[in-house]
Amino acid sequence: MTTMRKLYEKYGAPEYVKIDIEGADGICLDQLLILTKGSSSAARLLPRYLTFECNSLAWIDKAVALGYGYFKLVLLPLSLSLSLS
């Protein structure tokens, strides 16, 4: 299985990360949290830009915990966004 840690080890810290795992984007956010937890260089490990589908408001909390403070939310049509919790 490919993990964020394996990708970081192979390629280094990216400038931009686009997460698109069809409803499981939170898994990558969790992996970023684990990767940076307790690291004195956490800010250098984080991509400057991060994109993910927000299927859960808890994912915004995870992004905030990572240190992100500015967000651009794009609304989906109502029929597609009913499952957002």
Side-chain angles (χ1 to χ4, degrees), residues 2-5 7-8 11-21 24-33 35-36 43-53 63 66 68:
T2 300
T3 63
M4 293 299 284
R5 181 170 303 282
L7 291 171
Y8 269 69
Y11 301 107
E15 177 77 10
Y16 171 73
V17 168
K18 179 180 188 247
I19 304 170
D20 189 1
I21 313 175
D25 297 25
I27 293 169
C28 272
L29 292 171
D30 287 337
Q31 289 184 14
L32 280 173
L33 281 165
L35 188 67
T36 58
R44 288 185 294 144
L45 292 174
L46 289 173
R48 184 172 180 189
Y49 302 101
L50 179 67
T51 302
F52 59 92
E53 294 178 7
L66 283 163
Y68 293 99

Side-chain angles (χ1 to χ4, degrees), residues 54-66:
C54 188
N55 292 330
S56 169
L57 294 177
W59 296 357
I60 297 290
D61 291 335
K62 291 178 185 187
V64 169
L66 283 163

